[in-house]
Amino acid sequence: MANDNVKRPTREKGEILLEMRDLRIEGESDDVWHQIVKGVDLTLCRGEVLGLIGESGAGKSTIGIAAMGFAHPGCRFNGGSITFDGIDLMNAPEEVKRKMRGSRISYVAQSAAASFNPAHRLIDQTIETETQQGIRDTQASIADAKDLYSRLRLPNPEAIGFRYPHQVSGGQLQRVMTAMAMTCRPDLIIFDEPTTALDVTTQVEVLASIRAIVEEFHTAAIYITHDLAVVAQMAHRIMVLRHGKLVEEAPTREMLAAPQDAYTRSLWAVRKLAKEESTTYDLILKVEHVDAAYGSAVKILDDVSISVPRGRTVAVVGESGSGKSTLARVVTGLLPPTKGSVKFNGADLPPALAQRDKESLRRIQMIYQSPDTALNPRQRVYDIIGRPLTFYHNLRGKALKDRIVELLKMIELDESYIDRLPGEMSGGQKQRICIARALAAEPDLIICDEVTSALDQIVQEEILKLLLRLQAEFEISYLFITHDIATVRAIADEIVVMNQGKVVQQGLKTKVLSPPHPAYTELLLSSVPEMDPDWLTNLLQKRAAKTK
Amino acid sequence: MHPLARTILQRLGLGLMTLFIVSIVIFSMVSWLPGDFAKAILGQAATEETVAAFQKEIGLDKPPVQRYVEWVGNVVQGEFGSSFASRVGYKRTVAELIAPRLANTLFLASLTAAIAVPLALALGILAALYRNSLFDRIVNSVTLTTISMPEFFMAYLLMLFLSVKLSWLPGLASVDAETELLERITRCALPTLTLTLVIVAHMMRMTRAAIINLLACPYIEMARLKGMSKSRVILRHALPNAWAPIVNVVAFNLAYLVVGVVVVEAVFTYPGIGQLMVDAVTARDIPVVQACALIFAATYIMLNLTADIISIATNPRLLHPR
């Protein structure tokens, strides 16, 4: 075996590998230094997997790479100690730390697509650390990399390394990155949200490969994520962080069975939010036998028919590439279909945006995934919400301002927000502004494209509650595009399952979510991580049994 | 066909089309130049008949469209025609007027490029590597100074110190066909130095900026977290992704070396193509002016085309499609 000639240190479980005491890290923004990590203690033993969870801004990633003696540009250590295998990382010379990175402590980043250098082949990047640090020669490194690729169950392990990053799918890249982190058989790997950017079905495969290889080499790991269900599968012990401080720490099973802190409990509240379904035969939107394509290339939508009842929510679920967002573009008129029709309120909608009159434009509004890109950073709330009010309802002056304040009240923000720029608000507040902008037109239908995906769990719950309240108040219909089944449970009346441009299944929520399922729905639903620490193990066993 | 080959062919076609449009522009501009060659040569005293006869002799009596078609037709066959300064028994073709001048210009341009481009790249990479250090600041301020000075001023300064005061280098760059290579290089030293100082700043600053621009990319942080040294991060991980903006600026500066150095040629009395064109404009020698303009345009188009192709070829997404 190629990996036999790597000197592997004795790895006895129980021996302390990494210790952080009262770690403090500060970051600079606008010339002001503020604490990001406010005194965190962390102990990790050899072969142990520690989960770090928390919302964005909790300091998880910062603590993760601090374990490598590294701080992001614009951040610096300002207190405490980090000891890795007897080496004081706070005070070690840069050269010593550099030699340890990649070989003794390695890193797996969130977005594999962005973290691989587009200019080099995967194999060259995989073996870079070992050849550069003179651990092994190129031939042996390549052989070992191929071995790791096959252990991580990558397709065609002999050849895949010779491709460029853009030629390989996201899930495969994430596994190649795990192989890259493994090449030097490090003592510790930092996994920084490695599956967050992946579809659930892909996530299962990546989680399984990561877990298997970490166990096989007895590597210690810090697994960073915001997803409790994922960390439950991966970690022996979990630390919950918030605002740079430790909230709670316990072995995984204990933490899941009996979370002590109120904040920890609130983290999975969204998973319990569930709406009573109801439906009506009064349809607001009917999409009939629609085909759509970009250019003359492959069909993105293939004979898609869906309907949305008035005042109800239809959730469209599927993986990336299933055509969910394209469907939204067809309904809004951004992409005229090549075949089929869109009926709104019983009448045919002109296929292209330019042919639609103001009234039909007003009745369909859209909210996007990322409020950061959907809001003009140079416009104040007054202009953002005021524009559709002036455009559709011809409001000006005092009437306009009164209406904006009223809309702000509806989205639970007070008057003072009227002069704010997007940069002066949190992610959740920005998404509320996007909702108010859509509401301003007084639409019949709002298309929500992954509106909660970029938000933290607690904020997600607030936004979903707001959307439900607005629906009850104004009888708005939602076409709710999402890949997250928990969100579907929380908000949907009906579900449409899409795969590769086709509708696989549609119907009432309880009907779609309860067996028997068509094969694809089954795969999709079974891939959604559950809070049970044995979920992944059981799922893999079940799937293995099935293929036999 | 490989998509890269197809793109290159497409660009080549576009380049040729641009050149064709430029030829129309050049022809129209030159036709509208004020003044008349025949009158300029024959003097105020010439009678209408002599002027008409002379115009007929050099073909100026034909309608412009016909003249344009004939001109382009000849140029395509590599025939640039005769200078208006030709007489019976004193035949001067445009080609023989331009050839030695173009050779001189290309010699000076190549000599400068051979020094300036590697120097600019090296300084740019070093400045990115040691950014915000003393070295970086010195390189930045020195290059900023040289780029801010008018080139003739720089030329006279260098001449004053290196030639007049210190007598290290010849102050005039008069060369002809017989000048030996070594002698030629020595005589061209001052113009070369001047031009190098003028163009290094631009290229060096773009190299530095293009590299630094990439340092915030996740894959650069990944390289650092893989324990790569600072120089490897810059050379192996940032530079290969920074070529596109760098080669564009390099191409732009190389084009300047061919088409924009008339002032420097004048200061050092270097017999380059720039001076020839200025003289031809003064003498209303239309065939020479048109030929020079066309060569300049072709140079620009060709260098930009090369830059585009290099940008494409260094982008693996285009080189290795899915």
Side-chain angles (χ1 to χ4, degrees), chain A residues 126-166:
Chain A
T126 307
I127 63 169
E128 194 175 11
T129 304
E130 35 184 344
T131 49
Q132 279 302 300
Q133 304 206 353
I135 295 169
R136 257 193 293 222
D137 65 35
T138 312
Q139 282 308 312
S141 303
I142 290 178
D144 179 60
K146 287 176 179 170
D147 177 49
L148 285 173
Y149 290 160
S150 76
R151 281 167 199 260
L152 284 159
R153 274 168 285 163
L154 277 159
N156 202 352
E158 282 297 313
I160 194 165
F162 295 92
R163 317 201 71 185
Y164 282 87
H166 69 272

Short mmCIF file of all heavy atoms in Angstrom, two decimals, chain A residues 126-166:
data_model
loop_
_atom_site.label_atom_id
_atom_site.label_comp_id
_atom_site.label_asym_id
_atom_site.label_seq_id
_atom_site.Cartn_x
_atom_site.Cartn_y
_atom_site.Cartn_z
N THR A 126 -3.84 18.29 -4.90
CA THR A 126 -3.97 17.30 -3.83
C THR A 126 -2.62 16.98 -3.19
O THR A 126 -2.49 16.91 -1.98
CB THR A 126 -4.58 15.99 -4.39
OG1 THR A 126 -5.78 16.31 -5.07
CG2 THR A 126 -4.86 15.01 -3.28
N ILE A 127 -1.61 16.79 -4.03
CA ILE A 127 -0.32 16.31 -3.50
C ILE A 127 0.64 17.45 -3.19
O ILE A 127 1.78 17.22 -2.82
CB ILE A 127 0.36 15.35 -4.50
CG1 ILE A 127 0.69 16.08 -5.80
CG2 ILE A 127 -0.52 14.13 -4.77
CD1 ILE A 127 1.59 15.28 -6.71
N GLU A 128 0.15 18.69 -3.31
CA GLU A 128 1.07 19.82 -3.20
C GLU A 128 1.81 19.86 -1.86
O GLU A 128 3.03 20.03 -1.81
CB GLU A 128 0.31 21.13 -3.41
CG GLU A 128 1.21 22.32 -3.65
CD GLU A 128 0.43 23.58 -3.97
OE1 GLU A 128 -0.81 23.57 -3.82
OE2 GLU A 128 1.06 24.56 -4.36
N THR A 129 1.07 19.66 -0.77
CA THR A 129 1.72 19.78 0.54
C THR A 129 2.81 18.74 0.71
O THR A 129 3.94 19.06 1.10
CB THR A 129 0.67 19.64 1.66
OG1 THR A 129 -0.33 20.62 1.47
CG2 THR A 129 1.32 19.85 3.02
N GLU A 130 2.48 17.49 0.39
CA GLU A 130 3.49 16.45 0.65
C GLU A 130 4.72 16.59 -0.23
O GLU A 130 5.84 16.37 0.23
CB GLU A 130 2.90 15.05 0.52
CG GLU A 130 1.85 14.91 -0.53
CD GLU A 130 1.22 13.53 -0.54
OE1 GLU A 130 1.77 12.57 0.04
OE2 GLU A 130 0.16 13.40 -1.15
N THR A 131 4.53 16.99 -1.50
CA THR A 131 5.72 17.12 -2.34
C THR A 131 6.50 18.39 -1.96
O THR A 131 7.72 18.39 -1.94
CB THR A 131 5.35 17.17 -3.83
OG1 THR A 131 4.31 18.11 -4.02
CG2 THR A 131 4.90 15.83 -4.32
N GLN A 132 5.80 19.45 -1.65
CA GLN A 132 6.48 20.69 -1.30
C GLN A 132 7.24 20.57 0.00
O GLN A 132 8.30 21.13 0.17
CB GLN A 132 5.46 21.84 -1.18
CG GLN A 132 5.06 22.43 -2.49
CD GLN A 132 6.24 22.96 -3.25
OE1 GLN A 132 6.94 23.83 -2.78
NE2 GLN A 132 6.50 22.39 -4.43
N GLN A 133 6.66 19.84 0.96
CA GLN A 133 7.33 19.74 2.24
C GLN A 133 8.28 18.54 2.26
O GLN A 133 8.84 18.20 3.30
CB GLN A 133 6.30 19.63 3.37
CG GLN A 133 5.35 20.83 3.33
CD GLN A 133 4.74 21.14 4.67
OE1 GLN A 133 4.91 20.40 5.63
NE2 GLN A 133 4.04 22.25 4.75
N GLY A 134 8.42 17.90 1.10
CA GLY A 134 9.40 16.81 0.99
C GLY A 134 9.02 15.57 1.77
O GLY A 134 9.87 14.80 2.21
N ILE A 135 7.71 15.36 1.98
CA ILE A 135 7.30 14.20 2.75
C ILE A 135 7.38 12.94 1.89
O ILE A 135 7.75 11.87 2.35
CB ILE A 135 5.87 14.41 3.30
CG1 ILE A 135 5.90 15.58 4.28
CG2 ILE A 135 5.34 13.15 3.97
CD1 ILE A 135 4.55 16.08 4.69
N ARG A 136 7.03 13.09 0.61
CA ARG A 136 7.05 11.96 -0.30
C ARG A 136 7.39 12.47 -1.68
O ARG A 136 7.19 13.66 -1.97
CB ARG A 136 5.66 11.32 -0.35
CG ARG A 136 5.57 10.05 0.44
CD ARG A 136 4.30 9.35 0.08
NE ARG A 136 3.16 10.14 0.52
CZ ARG A 136 2.08 9.61 1.09
NH1 ARG A 136 2.01 8.32 1.28
NH2 ARG A 136 1.07 10.35 1.45
N ASP A 137 7.85 11.59 -2.56
CA ASP A 137 8.10 12.06 -3.92
C ASP A 137 6.80 12.03 -4.74
O ASP A 137 5.79 11.48 -4.30
CB ASP A 137 9.22 11.25 -4.60
CG ASP A 137 8.83 9.80 -4.81
OD1 ASP A 137 7.63 9.55 -5.09
OD2 ASP A 137 9.69 8.93 -4.67
N THR A 138 6.87 12.62 -5.90
CA THR A 138 5.65 12.81 -6.69
C THR A 138 4.96 11.49 -7.03
O THR A 138 3.74 11.37 -6.89
CB THR A 138 6.00 13.57 -7.99
OG1 THR A 138 6.81 14.68 -7.62
CG2 THR A 138 4.77 14.06 -8.69
N GLN A 139 5.75 10.50 -7.47
CA GLN A 139 5.17 9.22 -7.86
C GLN A 139 4.36 8.61 -6.72
O GLN A 139 3.20 8.24 -6.88
CB GLN A 139 6.28 8.23 -8.27
CG GLN A 139 6.83 8.50 -9.66
CD GLN A 139 5.73 8.60 -10.70
OE1 GLN A 139 4.84 7.74 -10.75
NE2 GLN A 139 5.74 9.65 -11.51
N ALA A 140 5.00 8.53 -5.55
CA ALA A 140 4.34 7.92 -4.40
C ALA A 140 3.12 8.74 -4.00
O ALA A 140 2.07 8.19 -3.64
CB ALA A 140 5.31 7.84 -3.23
N SER A 141 3.23 10.07 -4.10
CA SER A 141 2.11 10.93 -3.73
C SER A 141 0.92 10.69 -4.63
O SER A 141 -0.22 10.62 -4.18
CB SER A 141 2.50 12.39 -3.84
OG SER A 141 3.62 12.65 -3.05
N ILE A 142 1.19 10.57 -5.93
CA ILE A 142 0.10 10.37 -6.87
C ILE A 142 -0.59 9.04 -6.60
O ILE A 142 -1.82 8.94 -6.55
CB ILE A 142 0.61 10.45 -8.32
CG1 ILE A 142 0.99 11.90 -8.64
CG2 ILE A 142 -0.45 9.96 -9.31
CD1 ILE A 142 1.55 12.11 -10.02
N ALA A 143 0.22 8.01 -6.37
CA ALA A 143 -0.35 6.69 -6.09
C ALA A 143 -1.22 6.76 -4.84
O ALA A 143 -2.34 6.23 -4.81
CB ALA A 143 0.77 5.67 -5.90
N ASP A 144 -0.73 7.45 -3.83
CA ASP A 144 -1.49 7.56 -2.58
C ASP A 144 -2.76 8.36 -2.78
O ASP A 144 -3.83 8.02 -2.25
CB ASP A 144 -0.62 8.22 -1.51
CG ASP A 144 -1.38 8.37 -0.21
OD1 ASP A 144 -1.80 7.34 0.33
OD2 ASP A 144 -1.58 9.53 0.23
N ALA A 145 -2.67 9.44 -3.58
CA ALA A 145 -3.85 10.27 -3.82
C ALA A 145 -4.93 9.44 -4.49
O ALA A 145 -6.11 9.51 -4.12
CB ALA A 145 -3.48 11.48 -4.69
N LYS A 146 -4.52 8.62 -5.47
CA LYS A 146 -5.51 7.77 -6.15
C LYS A 146 -6.15 6.80 -5.18
O LYS A 146 -7.36 6.54 -5.23
CB LYS A 146 -4.84 7.01 -7.30
CG LYS A 146 -4.51 7.91 -8.48
CD LYS A 146 -3.77 7.14 -9.55
CE LYS A 146 -3.47 8.04 -10.73
NZ LYS A 146 -2.54 7.36 -11.67
N ASP A 147 -5.32 6.27 -4.28
CA ASP A 147 -5.84 5.37 -3.25
C ASP A 147 -6.89 6.08 -2.39
O ASP A 147 -7.96 5.55 -2.12
CB ASP A 147 -4.66 4.88 -2.40
CG ASP A 147 -5.13 3.99 -1.27
OD1 ASP A 147 -5.91 3.07 -1.55
OD2 ASP A 147 -4.72 4.24 -0.12
N LEU A 148 -6.56 7.33 -1.99
CA LEU A 148 -7.51 8.10 -1.17
C LEU A 148 -8.78 8.40 -1.95
O LEU A 148 -9.88 8.30 -1.42
CB LEU A 148 -6.87 9.40 -0.72
CG LEU A 148 -5.85 9.29 0.41
CD1 LEU A 148 -5.17 10.64 0.63
CD2 LEU A 148 -6.52 8.84 1.70
N TYR A 149 -8.63 8.74 -3.24
CA TYR A 149 -9.82 9.01 -4.06
C TYR A 149 -10.74 7.79 -4.04
O TYR A 149 -11.95 7.92 -3.95
CB TYR A 149 -9.43 9.32 -5.51
CG TYR A 149 -8.72 10.64 -5.73
CD1 TYR A 149 -7.96 10.85 -6.88
CD2 TYR A 149 -8.82 11.68 -4.81
CE1 TYR A 149 -7.31 12.05 -7.10
CE2 TYR A 149 -8.17 12.88 -5.03
CZ TYR A 149 -7.41 13.06 -6.18
OH TYR A 149 -6.77 14.25 -6.40
N SER A 150 -10.15 6.61 -4.16
CA SER A 150 -11.02 5.44 -4.22
C SER A 150 -11.62 5.15 -2.85
O SER A 150 -12.76 4.72 -2.75
CB SER A 150 -10.28 4.24 -4.79
OG SER A 150 -9.43 3.70 -3.82
N ARG A 151 -10.84 5.40 -1.78
CA ARG A 151 -11.43 5.22 -0.45
C ARG A 151 -12.59 6.17 -0.22
O ARG A 151 -13.53 5.86 0.51
CB ARG A 151 -10.39 5.50 0.64
CG ARG A 151 -9.44 4.37 0.88
CD ARG A 151 -8.30 4.88 1.71
NE ARG A 151 -7.16 3.98 1.60
CZ ARG A 151 -6.89 3.07 2.52
NH1 ARG A 151 -7.62 2.94 3.59
NH2 ARG A 151 -5.85 2.28 2.35
N LEU A 152 -12.51 7.36 -0.81
CA LEU A 152 -13.59 8.32 -0.66
C LEU A 152 -14.69 8.08 -1.68
O LEU A 152 -15.56 8.91 -1.89
CB LEU A 152 -13.05 9.75 -0.78
CG LEU A 152 -12.31 10.21 0.47
CD1 LEU A 152 -11.37 11.36 0.17
CD2 LEU A 152 -13.30 10.62 1.54
N ARG A 153 -14.62 6.96 -2.34
CA ARG A 153 -15.64 6.51 -3.30
C ARG A 153 -15.89 7.53 -4.40
O ARG A 153 -17.03 7.82 -4.77
CB ARG A 153 -16.93 6.15 -2.58
CG ARG A 153 -16.90 4.70 -2.10
CD ARG A 153 -18.02 4.42 -1.17
NE ARG A 153 -17.77 5.01 0.14
CZ ARG A 153 -18.70 5.20 1.06
NH1 ARG A 153 -19.93 4.87 0.80
NH2 ARG A 153 -18.38 5.71 2.23
N LEU A 154 -14.79 8.11 -4.89
CA LEU A 154 -14.94 9.00 -6.06
C LEU A 154 -15.01 8.14 -7.30
O LEU A 154 -14.33 7.12 -7.39
CB LEU A 154 -13.73 9.94 -6.14
CG LEU A 154 -13.82 11.18 -5.26
CD1 LEU A 154 -12.45 11.75 -5.01
CD2 LEU A 154 -14.72 12.21 -5.90
N PRO A 155 -15.84 8.53 -8.26
CA PRO A 155 -15.90 7.75 -9.49
C PRO A 155 -14.58 7.86 -10.26
O PRO A 155 -13.98 8.95 -10.30
CB PRO A 155 -17.05 8.40 -10.26
CG PRO A 155 -17.14 9.77 -9.71
CD PRO A 155 -16.70 9.70 -8.30
N ASN A 156 -14.12 6.81 -10.84
CA ASN A 156 -12.90 6.80 -11.65
C ASN A 156 -11.69 7.41 -10.94
O ASN A 156 -11.11 8.39 -11.41
CB ASN A 156 -13.16 7.54 -12.96
CG ASN A 156 -12.19 7.13 -14.03
OD1 ASN A 156 -11.24 6.38 -13.74
ND2 ASN A 156 -12.41 7.59 -15.24
N PRO A 157 -11.29 6.84 -9.79
CA PRO A 157 -10.22 7.43 -9.00
C PRO A 157 -8.89 7.55 -9.73
O PRO A 157 -8.07 8.40 -9.41
CB PRO A 157 -10.08 6.49 -7.79
CG PRO A 157 -10.78 5.24 -8.18
CD PRO A 157 -11.84 5.63 -9.15
N GLU A 158 -8.67 6.69 -10.74
CA GLU A 158 -7.41 6.76 -11.48
C GLU A 158 -7.30 8.06 -12.28
O GLU A 158 -6.23 8.63 -12.43
CB GLU A 158 -7.32 5.58 -12.46
CG GLU A 158 -6.92 4.26 -11.81
CD GLU A 158 -5.54 4.32 -11.19
OE1 GLU A 158 -4.62 4.81 -11.87
OE2 GLU A 158 -5.40 3.88 -10.03
N ALA A 159 -8.44 8.51 -12.82
CA ALA A 159 -8.39 9.61 -13.79
C ALA A 159 -8.91 10.94 -13.24
O ALA A 159 -8.56 12.00 -13.74
CB ALA A 159 -9.18 9.23 -15.03
N ILE A 160 -9.72 10.89 -12.19
CA ILE A 160 -10.43 12.11 -11.81
C ILE A 160 -9.47 13.22 -11.40
O ILE A 160 -9.72 14.40 -11.63
CB ILE A 160 -11.46 11.83 -10.70
CG1 ILE A 160 -12.42 13.03 -10.58
CG2 ILE A 160 -10.80 11.53 -9.38
CD1 ILE A 160 -13.65 12.75 -9.79
N GLY A 161 -8.31 12.84 -10.85
CA GLY A 161 -7.34 13.84 -10.40
C GLY A 161 -6.77 14.67 -11.53
O GLY A 161 -6.28 15.77 -11.32
N PHE A 162 -6.83 14.13 -12.75
CA PHE A 162 -6.21 14.85 -13.85
C PHE A 162 -7.18 15.83 -14.51
O PHE A 162 -6.89 16.39 -15.55
CB PHE A 162 -5.63 13.85 -14.86
CG PHE A 162 -4.50 13.08 -14.24
CD1 PHE A 162 -4.73 11.86 -13.60
CD2 PHE A 162 -3.22 13.61 -14.21
CE1 PHE A 162 -3.70 11.18 -12.97
CE2 PHE A 162 -2.19 12.93 -13.59
CZ PHE A 162 -2.43 11.71 -12.97
N ARG A 163 -8.31 16.02 -13.85
CA ARG A 163 -9.25 17.01 -14.37
C ARG A 163 -9.04 18.33 -13.64
O ARG A 163 -8.39 18.38 -12.60
CB ARG A 163 -10.68 16.52 -14.14
CG ARG A 163 -10.86 15.04 -14.46
CD ARG A 163 -12.28 14.71 -14.71
NE ARG A 163 -12.68 15.29 -16.00
CZ ARG A 163 -13.92 15.25 -16.47
NH1 ARG A 163 -14.87 14.69 -15.78
NH2 ARG A 163 -14.20 15.79 -17.63
N TYR A 164 -9.61 19.38 -14.23
CA TYR A 164 -9.56 20.70 -13.60
C TYR A 164 -10.78 20.88 -12.71
O TYR A 164 -11.82 20.24 -12.93
CB TYR A 164 -9.51 21.80 -14.67
CG TYR A 164 -8.14 21.94 -15.28
CD1 TYR A 164 -7.75 21.16 -16.35
CD2 TYR A 164 -7.23 22.84 -14.73
CE1 TYR A 164 -6.48 21.28 -16.89
CE2 TYR A 164 -5.96 22.97 -15.27
CZ TYR A 164 -5.59 22.19 -16.34
OH TYR A 164 -4.33 22.32 -16.86
N PRO A 165 -10.70 21.75 -11.70
CA PRO A 165 -11.83 21.89 -10.76
C PRO A 165 -13.17 22.13 -11.44
O PRO A 165 -14.18 21.58 -11.02
CB PRO A 165 -11.42 23.09 -9.91
CG PRO A 165 -9.94 23.11 -9.94
CD PRO A 165 -9.54 22.56 -11.29
N HIS A 166 -13.18 22.93 -12.51
CA HIS A 166 -14.48 23.26 -13.12
C HIS A 166 -15.08 22.07 -13.86
O HIS A 166 -16.22 22.13 -14.29
CB HIS A 166 -14.34 24.45 -14.06
CG HIS A 166 -13.56 24.16 -15.30
ND1 HIS A 166 -12.20 24.28 -15.36
CD2 HIS A 166 -13.94 23.71 -16.52
CE1 HIS A 166 -11.79 23.94 -16.56
NE2 HIS A 166 -12.82 23.58 -17.29
#
